[in-house]
Amino acid sequence: MTLQKQRNEFEAAKKKYERATLKFQGVDGYDVYNVSVPFKRDGKRYLFGRVERRGEWARSWVRLFEETGQDEWSVVKDSMIYTLEDPYISEIGDELVLGGTHVQYQSGRYSTFFGYFFRGTDLHNLYYFTTGPNKMKDIRLVALADGKIGVFSRPRSTGMKDKYGSESMIGFTVIDRLEELTADVIESAPYIHGIFGAGEWGGVNQAYLLDTGKIGIIGHICYQDKDANGGEVKVYLNMAFIFDPTTRESTDLHLIGSRPCYPPGPSKAPYLADCVFSSGIVMRPDGKADLYSGIGDCETGRITIDYPFAGHGHLV
């Protein structure tokens, strides 16, 4: 079944619970989108958000925000400013690891980009410690049951499309400690086959250890489409799947969100009008999950969904 048909079936059968557009205080004149999943530290709830003016590209900063109300987040005054895009976090032992994309320029022109990683036990004093491979986004870490660290990669190239049919792949490898996280290790992660079909691409956005030893993945999966006028549209969808780090098998890939699931709103450009970029989930007392996502590359949304890893274990 094509991804477009899967999307149509999802839209027809989806269950609607809560939905909201997040409000961000202290950054007037800027959009906040493609945030990290919310996390708790020192008894408070935080997230990192990409902060950028609507009319600008590749000129963003990552700021720390604290929850100050229902779907309201306020910038933490005097917190560190990171020259990154699309932040994400992992909790490895007692350390917090912050990752994001750093865009490089040469002579005022875009040159390339890398994943940068920061670590530390003090949220307000994280240290830059390693760099990912050239032109690779969506590198994610997860603490495993045996104390090791799982690493998901996301290579993407035109050559990959010729070889595998899809524009990107997801790789997975295991390291013993954060000091082993290098560009070579990430680049060499063996691929997980069978996730993306012809013309599709995507990646891991947040990985969760389950009490079965498997890993629950919240990610994005994408394809190209046309609008009513024949213009190009990049369709980004929220998805989930299960990965077994022992057998290296991926199962139960399914859609969990799309742009119409979130409140109506603008997009940074017309071709991003059908775009949602997953952050991750936060479990609720009622057993459902709040899914956070960037929408249209200019806002952040939250929808309430059924637990996406049902039948495969609970979050550790």
Side-chain angles (χ1 to χ4, degrees):
M1 186 187 303
T2 66
L3 180 55
Q4 190 165 16
K5 187 174 181 181
Q6 291 179 59
R7 192 261 175 87
N8 292 339
E9 292 190 357
F10 167 78
E11 298 290 358
K14 66 188 178 186
K15 296 178 181 178
K16 297 180 180 178
Y17 301 113
E18 295 179 16
R19 65 177 187 169
T21 302
L22 273 56
K23 300 180 292 292
F24 291 92
Q25 308 296 341
V27 285
D28 292 347
Y30 290 82
D31 294 329
V32 182
Y33 66 102
N34 292 6
V35 303
S36 76
V37 69
F39 60 95
K40 289 184 179 179
R41 211 77 176 172
D42 305 321
K44 298 179 180 179
R45 285 229 305 171
Y46 297 96
L47 59 73
F48 288 100
R50 175 177 176 171
V51 181
E52 191 171 48
R53 290 189 179 96
R54 181 72 55 86
E56 295 184 336
W57 295 88
R59 187 171 182 258
S60 63
W61 297 269
V62 164
R63 299 295 306 271
L64 179 66
F65 293 85
E66 179 184 342
E67 186 178 43
T68 51
Q70 178 66 38
D71 296 313
E72 179 186 88
W73 301 79
S74 297
V75 72
V76 177
K77 188 179 179 181
D78 299 327
S79 59
M80 192 177 296
I81 299 174
Y82 303 88
T83 52
L84 298 174
E85 299 177 350
D86 304 345
Y88 48 90
I89 60 102
S90 303
E91 296 188 82
I92 307 296
D94 61 350
E95 287 193 83
L96 185 78
V97 178
L98 165 68
T101 301
H102 177 76
V103 177
Q104 289 191 354
Y105 282 78
Q106 293 290 339
S107 301
R109 295 177 179 269
Y110 160 79
S111 173
T112 187
F113 59 83
F114 294 87
Y116 278 15
F117 294 86
F118 299 75
R119 64 184 289 191
T121 55
D122 181 353
L123 175 61
H124 306 285
N125 193 24
L126 301 178
Y127 289 83
Y128 170 54
F129 77 100
T130 199
T131 304
N134 186 31
K135 291 189 176 178
M136 186 184 293
K137 299 182 179 182
D138 304 329
I139 304 160
R140 299 295 191 266
L141 310 179
V142 60
L144 301 178
D146 59 4
K148 296 183 179 182
I149 303 166
V151 181
F152 290 94
S153 67
R154 206 295 311 269
R156 182 179 180 183
S157 68
T158 52
M160 191 158 286
K161 184 176 181 179
D162 294 338
K163 186 172 183 179
Y164 299 106
S166 56
E167 294 184 24
S168 68
M169 297 290 284
I170 293 175
F172 178 79
T173 191
V174 175
I175 57 177
D176 291 322
R177 53 201 181 97
L178 287 173
E179 287 77 9
E180 297 176 6
L181 185 67
T182 66
D184 287 343
V185 165
I186 298 167
E187 190 86 71
S188 302
Y191 296 161
I192 308 166
H193 294 277
I195 295 178
F196 303 119
E200 300 171 6
W201 73 95
V204 175
N205 291 82
Q206 195 72 25
Y208 300 84
L209 178 65
L210 307 180
D211 57 12
T212 56
K214 296 180 180 180
I215 302 171
I217 302 296
I218 300 296
H220 61 284
I221 188 166
C222 320
Y223 66 96
Q224 298 270 16
D225 201 0
K226 301 285 186 182
D227 62 21
N229 299 316
E232 178 187 278
V233 174
K234 293 187 176 181
V235 180
Y236 277 65
L237 302 165
N238 305 131
M239 64 89 160
F241 69 90
I242 299 297
F243 179 71
D244 188 325
T246 302
T247 65
R248 297 188 59 85
E249 291 181 334
S250 64
T251 56
D252 196 20
L253 190 152
H254 60 285
L255 301 181
I256 57 174
S258 63
R259 182 62 188 91
C261 295
Y262 298 84
S267 62
K268 196 173 182 76
Y271 69 86
L272 295 168
D274 202 3
C275 171
V276 287
F277 188 72
S278 308
S279 298
I281 59 168
V282 175
M283 293 305 298
R284 297 162 51 104
D286 61 8
K288 292 182 171 57
D290 282 329
L291 169 63
Y292 290 82
S293 182
I295 45 180
D297 266 16
C298 64
E299 292 184 316
T300 301
R302 175 185 66 83
I303 58 174
T304 303
I305 63 173
D306 291 318
Y307 178 56
F309 309 132
H312 301 284
H314 300 284
L315 302 190
V316 173

